[in-house]
Amino acid sequence: MAAIAERVDYFRMLIDGEWTDGASTKMRPIINPATEEVVAEVPDGMPDDAHRAIDAASRAFRDWSRLTPYERARYLKRAADLIRERTEEIARLMTLEVGKPIKESRVEVRMAADYFEWYAEEAKRNYGDIVPQFVPQKRHWVIRQPVGVVATITPWNFPANLLARKVAPALAAGCTVVSKPDHRTPLTAMAIFKCLHDAELPAGVANLVTGEPAEIAAVFFADQRVRKISFTGSKRVGRLLMQQAADQIKRLSLELGGHAPVLIFPDVDVDKAAQWTVRAKFRNNGQTCISPNRIYVHEQIWDAFVERVVHYTKQLRLGNGLDEDTDVGPLIDANGLAKVERHVQDAIAKGAKVLCGGKRPEGDAFRKGFWFEPTVLVNVAPEMLVSCEETFGPVLPLIPFRDREEGIERANDSPFGLAAYLLTNDLRTVIEVAERLETGMVGVWDFAPATPQCPFGGVKQSGFGSEGGWEGLKEYLVTKHISIVLEP
Ligand code: NAD
């Protein structure tokens, strides 16, 4: 399927329970990054649509927030079931608009369903506290209530999961939402919202708008009824949003970029470590906020590890994500491709050596689309762009290290602090190193630490706030202390 022949009824905005083109005056083409063909067209929403969505969410909040968590859970579990039933349809849309291999899209859709199911349950445990009194005639209760209308802004690289991580806990907590997906990948979001709609959520509880990002975000920030904005995306935009949030002291979560280090210690099975590192690096073509970006290899295993990494990288099949045997798809767009090229050229100019890849692939299959070969670099220095900025592409830089101290120091030498990884079988090394790494997550042989029941989030310039776990529910709750004098 190159394109979607007929207009699908839900390729629209969802405002107050209705699928609508809203005030939009133009359609935006959605491009398949593997072929540059137009997959579908969606209305490009206007600020007025965001206003109407906030009106609807604000009206719906009163009743939705007063349902018991058990009642809200029934809707959310129905939505989770529908997402699972529609895995194939949603995964296909995702591959068409993002380019990622269909097998990765399926995993992502199932996990999006898991977020809805898990938060449906977790909100039932939104317990309060009874706090012992200091003054004998007083009693103190602490309760946690939904913050109000929530706006979410999400990127294109995981268009189902990153949306579900925000919308599921917000709805479960009793908030209503207005979501804005990335303008390049709205189809997956529309398909997820179709599941919420078909699960018969009351009108206005979950709204989806499209449009020019800065204009729509400006409406979210200016409207006092929007009590919280949850953003996932680049540091550049995160900084802009933080400045806008200051005006109204708006509550904000920022899940921003990372620059994940991997430390590979000499006690590992070198072949297995190389295979796992390659698989992790090229997942979603390296377009992952927790993608391994600096791979530090202990000098004792350097030669063998480098040889195995090149071996496994050369085996990766580059191709259209719809083919079942594709391992690596295209980059999202021409800008994404240009950034990868710039990083590789910069590295080469500063002395890096390309062991495989390093260029656009040749052949008819790659004449259209945004392709770059899976690339392995050595002789990598700290001043290269690949060492300090997110490449967000298929580039695997290898760097030797001497001992544990040097490894920790180099891993922490970054303004970002999202994820870090450790490959070792030595428990002392795991404890010592994991505790000293300055990141929100450490994966020990685990390159995919995101899971509904545990917190995901960064430190340093990777942002603040958590998604997943009880922490992810608290992002949508406010704390209230009720203090009672028994005998006034
Ligand atoms: P981006 O910041 O350009 O876009 C993200 C979202 O912000 C999109 O919905 C976009 O339409 C919107 N946006 C763009 N300009 C805006 C503006 N001026 N005002 C308001 N909204 C605006 O990010 P991107 O480059 O498309 O996405 C990749 C980035 O996201 C990477 O840096 C990646 O590391 C990060 N990311 C972080 C996580 C995490 O959980 N920490 C997860 C995935 C991606």
Side-chain angles (χ1 to χ4, degrees):
M1 181 169 73
I4 296 156
E6 294 189 6
R7 184 156 181 209
V8 175
D9 61 349
Y10 64 83
F11 285 176
R12 293 183 161 87
M13 290 179 271
L14 178 63
I15 300 176
D16 206 10
E18 302 287 334
W19 293 102
T20 172
D21 286 358
S24 149
T25 52
K26 66 175 191 321
M27 301 296 281
R28 181 185 283 273
I30 305 306
I31 306 295
N32 180 343
T35 62
E36 296 181 54
E37 287 169 331
V38 176
V39 175
E41 293 196 321
V42 302
D44 210 15
M46 302 294 283
D48 201 39
D49 298 314
H51 282 298
R52 288 201 307 116
I54 296 167
D55 290 345
S58 182
R59 279 194 302 273
F61 179 74
R62 191 186 142 89
D63 289 343
W64 181 253
S65 60
R66 288 181 184 182
L67 293 182
T68 68
Y70 290 82
E71 289 168 312
R72 287 196 292 267
R74 279 198 280 277
Y75 289 103
L76 298 184
K77 285 200 205 171
R78 263 205 303 268
D81 288 343
L82 289 171
I83 294 170
R84 283 197 193 102
E85 277 168 26
R86 298 175 191 173
T87 298
E88 207 49 41
E89 174 190 341
I90 304 172
R92 234 175 139 67
L93 289 177
M94 192 186 303
T95 291
L96 281 172
E97 63 182 357
V98 182
K100 71 172 71 177
I102 187 80
K103 50 197 177 192
E104 291 184 20
S105 298
R106 289 187 191 116
V107 172
E108 185 180 337
V109 175
R110 288 189 207 111
M111 196 182 269
D114 292 345
Y115 277 101
F116 280 97
E117 183 172 309
W118 196 81
Y119 275 111
E121 290 300 324
E122 185 63 3
K124 297 174 186 173
R125 286 175 277 281
N126 175 18
Y127 304 128
D129 302 309
I130 296 178
V131 182
Q133 61 275 19
F134 185 70
V135 176
Q137 305 89 332
K138 282 197 180 190
R139 295 294 182 271
H140 303 286
W141 296 346
V142 178
I143 61 171
R144 295 182 186 86
Q145 296 178 295
V147 59
V149 174
V150 168
T152 76
I153 303 176
T154 44
W156 50 269
N157 59 342
F158 289 90
N161 247 344
L162 299 178
L163 183 75
R165 278 190 209 173
K166 299 180 189 309
V167 172
L171 294 179
C175 300
T176 53
V177 300
V178 181
S179 293
K180 192 210 77 64
D182 190 279
H183 51 284
R184 285 159 288 194
T185 58
L187 305 181
T188 305
M190 287 167 177
I192 299 277
F193 271 69
K194 170 80 171 143
C195 295
L196 290 168
H197 187 243
D198 291 350
E200 297 178 352
L201 257 78
V205 168
N207 305 273
L208 184 72
V209 296
T210 58
E212 208 285 309
E215 284 182 6
I216 303 297
V219 175
F220 294 161
F221 279 100
D223 197 314
Q224 292 198 32
R225 294 170 300 172
V226 176
R227 298 286 163 78
K228 155 107 197 198
I229 297 182
S230 180
F231 171 78
T232 299
S234 61
K235 180 180 142 188
R236 180 186 68 83
V237 176
R239 191 192 288 127
L240 288 174
L241 301 190
M242 213 166 156
Q243 284 160 355
Q244 292 178 70
D247 272 353
Q248 285 192 14
I249 321 291
K250 187 93 73 189
R251 214 168 135 184
L252 190 64
S253 301
L254 298 178
E255 293 278 352
L256 307 179
H259 204 275
V262 186
L263 289 170
I264 303 172
F265 286 87
D267 64 274
V268 296
D269 171 336
V270 170
D271 184 68
K272 189 197 275 181
Q275 199 176 5
W276 283 52
T277 304
V278 168
R279 207 185 295 154
K281 173 69 239 185
F282 297 103
R283 185 164 73 102
N284 202 16
N285 209 0
Q287 301 170 115
T288 305
C289 56
I290 56 170
S291 186
N293 271 299
R294 292 169 285 141
I295 291 94
Y296 297 108
V297 183
H298 197 281
E299 58 188 18
Q300 276 176 27
I301 54 167
W302 171 259
D303 290 339
F305 188 84
V306 172
E307 188 275 322
R308 289 282 85 193
V309 161
V310 173
H311 168 80
Y312 285 116
T313 304
K314 283 183 173 168
Q315 287 184 2
L316 294 170
R317 277 180 300 253
L318 194 63
N320 190 312
L322 289 180
D323 297 337
E324 291 288 341
D325 54 3
T326 288
D327 297 312
V328 178
L331 291 151
I332 184 69
D333 58 15
N335 286 338
L337 174 59
K339 182 176 188 192
V340 173
E341 288 190 307
R342 187 160 50 83
H343 276 211
V344 171
Q345 288 314 317
D346 169 82
I348 292 169
K350 290 174 180 159
K353 190 169 159 208
V354 177
L355 296 187
C356 65
K359 58 180 175 42
R360 299 185 189 200
E362 284 154 16
D364 281 351
F366 305 114
R367 199 150 290 145
K368 289 276 187 181
F370 311 109
W371 303 95
F372 200 83
E373 288 182 356
T375 299
V376 177
L377 298 178
V378 290
N379 295 354
V380 174
E383 63 275 13
M384 295 174 184
L385 291 174
V386 290
S387 300
C388 46
E389 274 184 26
E390 272 183 309
T391 304
F392 236 58
V395 180
L396 192 158
L398 294 169
I399 306 151
F401 75 98
R402 242 185 352 266
D403 56 27
R404 194 194 279 181
E405 278 309 308
E406 187 199 350
I408 295 171
E409 196 177 310
R410 298 189 72 172
N412 284 338
D413 184 19
S414 168
F416 295 105
L418 193 55
Y421 306 99
L422 274 182
L423 301 190
T424 176
N425 299 316
D426 181 68
L427 185 59
R428 280 178 207 282
T429 305
V430 169
I431 295 170
E432 167 88 2
V433 181
E435 287 181 358
R436 289 176 57 195
L437 286 171
E438 297 169 355
T439 54
M441 291 162 286
V442 177
V444 181
W445 285 101
D446 187 358
F447 285 105
T451 179
Q453 72 279 20
C454 293
F456 183 106
V459 298
K460 303 204 274 190
Q461 293 184 27
S462 290
F464 45 81
S466 293
E467 300 194 322
W470 158 238
E471 292 85 348
L473 190 70
K474 276 200 289 192
E475 296 287 333
Y476 301 98
L477 296 170
V478 283
T479 302
K480 184 179 281 172
H481 169 207
I482 301 174
S483 184
I484 305 159
V485 174
L486 290 183
E487 291 172 25

